[in-house]
Amino acid sequence: MTMYVWDYLREYEAERTDLLDAVDSVFRSGRLVLGASVRGFEDEFAAYHGIPHCVGVDNGTNAVKLGLQSLGVGPGDEVITVSNTAAPTVLAIDSVGATPVFVDVREDDFLMDTSQVADALTDRTRCLLPVHLYGQCVEMEPLAELAAVRGLPVLEDCAQAHGARRHGRLAGTFGQAAAFSFYPTKVLGAYGDAGAVLTSNDEVAGGLRRLRYYGMEETYYVVETPGHNSRLDEVQAEILRRKLARLDGYIDARRAVARRYEDGLAGTDLILPRTAAGNDHVYYVYVVRHPRRDDILELLAERGISLNVSYRWPVHTMSGFAHLGLGSGSLPVTERLADSIFSLPMYPSLTPDAQDRVIGELRDVLAKL
């Protein structure tokens, strides 16, 4: 039987009764759009972070897009971010008419190299968009200091960092706003697309609520400013409410999986994940490195273990962003990592036996390279 980097079926069986009750409760409520479940999840997710406002939206890409718009980012502006991320981060920047400006990442933990941000600033820079990648936080202290000096807002991309902390502080609580995805694979995942934006700013929160609802506030027929149809679905919101109560347990389980990998792969020539000083990693994905990555993936696939790469093609190398003019060598660390990284199976319900199979097959493949 083929193993993949993510599987939800065992977890679903364990939580099936509660999840089906969540769906039934919405269908019996008499309100299917922007009802009690969305309001309840928004309140509870905001409370989890100690933040006043959470605005639920339809997916993580639009969480970034609406977050940018709510901060006043638009055509002609520049947004500083990284190329070692999922393409939606950059697509959201493009969708508001802004230009992504990339800085490189750090080789040891794959996170934004914040020391490069100051040199990337121009008079068109309108926002800093750090990506909390793979389950841990960017080094936010120098970024926040720079943003304060230059009067720039920070929008955190937290799609891969639910529950991650830096010096005890949760991802999503450092900037003016923070975008989350609840795609099913995430640390806190829905059973379909869903997203949210956190903010402590009343004005930003009001703008977000209008933007997700056609640009309307209280009266359906009056558009106050052009917006979108980007509402969080009631069913997904109720599922997320139930799963939010289990989030810390999911994180504990992921860390246990990470510890088993660390023990089981010790002594190999794989480069294992490094947690940056001050960070508490939640292991959205477990990313390792090896110079013969492609050979390893091919041999493991022959043994029924199908792995993936996050991310094989940095955004700046994609044909869709050729207009940025960033050729090979523009971001040397990002490009070097893309040739060697790959992800091992990582999800809370991964059993020790299944993980031992991955470790055993991987060790055997490495020994025969």
Side-chain angles (χ1 to χ4, degrees):
M1 182 176 179
T2 301
M3 279 191 65
Y4 298 95
V5 293
W6 178 76
D7 184 281
Y8 72 93
L9 292 175
R10 189 167 179 268
E11 180 180 293
Y12 174 67
E13 287 302 321
E15 300 179 355
R16 181 172 181 271
T17 299
D18 189 37
L19 293 171
L20 293 182
D21 180 69
V23 175
D24 187 62
S25 70
V26 171
F27 290 170
R28 291 177 178 273
S29 71
R31 181 72 180 267
L32 299 178
V33 178
L34 292 184
S37 292
V38 168
R39 290 193 301 273
F41 174 70
E42 289 175 337
D43 290 345
E44 291 155 19
F45 196 63
Y48 180 88
H49 291 85
I51 293 289
H53 304 289
C54 170
V55 180
V57 298
D58 52 348
N59 56 63
T61 307
N62 280 338
V64 179
K65 177 182 178 179
L66 271 60
L68 289 168
Q69 287 184 293
S70 71
L71 295 171
V73 179
D77 293 334
E78 292 179 348
V79 177
I80 297 178
T81 190
V82 293
S83 181
N84 181 32
T85 183
T89 304
V90 184
L91 290 169
I93 296 170
D94 183 75
S95 71
V96 302
T99 299
V101 175
F102 299 117
V103 296
D104 216 338
V105 296
R106 306 191 303 198
E107 190 145 9
D108 56 352
D109 57 21
F110 321 121
L111 299 167
M112 172 185 272
D113 186 344
T114 56
S115 69
Q116 298 186 18
V117 174
D119 289 339
L121 295 172
T122 72
D123 57 6
R124 293 173 56 197
T125 304
R126 185 66 185 86
C127 183
L128 309 182
L129 206 170
V131 179
H132 300 310
L133 196 71
Y134 299 156
Q136 64 173 325
C137 296
V138 169
E139 185 183 26
M140 292 299 295
E141 297 82 8
L143 200 63
E145 183 178 348
L146 178 64
V149 169
R150 296 296 294 263
L152 294 169
V154 174
L155 173 63
E156 300 172 66
D157 184 338
C158 300
Q160 303 185 19
H162 311 73
R165 293 177 184 269
R166 178 162 180 79
H167 297 302
R169 188 171 173 180
L170 280 165
T173 65
F174 292 90
Q176 281 64 47
F180 288 81
S181 167
F182 304 113
Y183 186 75
T185 61
K186 304 301 184 183
V187 179
L188 177 61
Y191 275 69
D193 280 316
V197 184
L198 291 178
T199 183
S200 295
N201 187 296
D202 296 347
E203 201 170 300
V204 171
L208 285 164
R209 295 189 190 282
R210 289 188 294 274
L211 284 167
R212 74 163 178 194
Y213 190 56
Y214 308 112
M216 303 173 186
E217 184 119 27
E218 297 179 356
T219 304
Y220 178 75
Y221 297 102
V222 178
V223 173
E224 298 185 19
T225 183
H228 315 275
N229 179 1
S230 300
R231 300 168 296 204
L232 175 60
D233 180 76
E234 275 288 290
V235 171
Q236 300 301 341
E238 186 59 34
I239 289 172
L240 287 167
R241 291 184 75 183
R242 309 295 178 96
K243 295 189 73 176
L244 178 59
R246 299 188 279 270
L247 175 56
D248 290 343
Y250 296 149
I251 292 171
D252 289 343
R254 286 174 178 272
R255 287 173 175 157
V257 171
R259 287 193 295 272
R260 291 199 297 268
Y261 277 134
E262 188 172 355
D263 293 341
L265 295 171
T268 70
D269 58 348
L270 278 179
I271 300 176
L272 303 182
R274 174 186 175 275
T275 300
N279 278 357
D280 294 323
H281 209 310
V282 297
Y283 297 100
Y284 164 59
V285 285
Y286 192 88
V287 177
V288 299
R289 296 175 58 194
H290 195 281
R292 296 188 63 182
R293 184 266 314 279
D294 292 341
D295 294 330
I296 293 169
L297 294 184
E298 183 177 346
L299 292 169
L300 286 174
E302 292 173 359
R303 301 177 183 216
I305 298 174
S306 180
L307 305 183
N308 69 3
V309 179
S310 298
Y311 300 94
R312 186 185 292 270
W313 299 282
V315 178
H316 75 282
T317 68
M318 297 178 183
S319 59
F321 290 96
H323 62 280
L324 297 177
L326 298 175
S328 178
S330 300
L331 300 168
V333 178
T334 294
E335 294 166 28
R336 189 160 57 246
L337 291 173
D339 290 335
S340 63
I341 55 177
F342 63 103
S343 302
L344 304 185
M346 170 57 75
Y347 46 94
S349 60
L350 181 64
T351 65
D353 287 346
Q355 190 176 4
D356 286 345
R357 177 188 168 197
V358 175
I359 292 170
E361 296 286 13
L362 182 51
R363 289 189 70 97
D364 190 56
V365 164
L366 290 168
K368 293 177 179 177
L369 286 178

